[in-house]
């Protein structure tokens, strides 16, 4: 069983969901073409919320260019409202969602 995965190219959000499992600790999204529709963005928000639910070590990271600054603000608002123990950071184009106690550690 794998504990971290990187989605590079060619999958849709529903296909990405098939790779998620309880033991997964890290997700990296590197495919800038996966979030081309509002539906895909909404699905990503739900995936992130589900992925970090009841976990303290889960980390979601999107590579530069994958999540636009506008969508970042929507994601940040929803995630931090629904999962207050998590922080969403946008730095150098990289979006990171991680548990707040991990925030000051390696970002």
């Amino acid at each position: 069983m794998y504990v971290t995965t990187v989605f590079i190219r060619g999958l849709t959000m529903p296909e990405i969901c098939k790779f998620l499992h309880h033991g997964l600790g890290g997700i990296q999204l590197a495919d800038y073409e996966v979030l081309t529709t509002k539906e895909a963005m909404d699905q990503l928000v739900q995936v992130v919320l589900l992925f970090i639910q009841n976990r303290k070590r889960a980390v979601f990271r999107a590579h530069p260019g994958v999540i636009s600054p506008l969508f970042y603000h929507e994601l940040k608002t929803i995630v931090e409202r629904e999962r207050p123990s998590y922080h969403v950071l946008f730095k150098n184009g990289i979006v990171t969602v991680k548990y707040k106690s991990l925030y000051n550690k390696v970002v």
Side-chain angles (χ1 to χ4, degrees):
M1 180 174 3
Y2 50 93
V3 294
T4 186
T5 188
V6 179
F7 297 101
I8 297 174
R9 196 154 179 83
L11 297 176
T12 63
M13 282 308 301
E15 292 169 328
I16 287 172
C17 292
K18 293 177 185 176
F19 288 94
L20 305 181
H21 60 81
H22 184 69
L24 194 61
I27 297 174
Q28 292 189 45
L29 186 58
D31 186 354
Y32 61 88
E33 294 179 354
V34 76
L35 299 177
T36 56
T37 67
K38 177 66 172 144
E39 180 182 25
M41 290 180 211
D42 292 342
Q43 288 173 335
L44 177 68
V45 170
Q46 294 307 310
V47 164
V48 169
L49 290 174
L50 183 63
F51 175 62
I52 63 176
Q53 182 178 348
N54 301 322
R55 297 182 191 197
K56 293 183 179 179
R57 295 252 178 232
V59 176
F60 169 83
R61 182 168 284 140
H63 291 225
V66 174
I67 294 180
S68 71
L70 182 62
F71 179 52
Y72 157 75
H73 289 291
E74 181 180 341
L75 179 66
K76 178 178 176 66
T77 300
I78 295 169
V79 168
E80 291 183 357
R81 180 185 66 226
E82 299 294 321
R83 305 285 187 267
S85 59
Y86 273 80
H87 180 72
V88 183
L89 175 70
F90 187 90
K91 184 176 181 181
N92 298 326
I94 299 170
V95 174
T96 305
V97 179
K98 61 187 348 182
Y99 198 69
K100 284 185 178 178
S101 69
L102 298 175
Y103 174 68
N104 291 328
K105 297 177 183 174
V106 179
V107 176

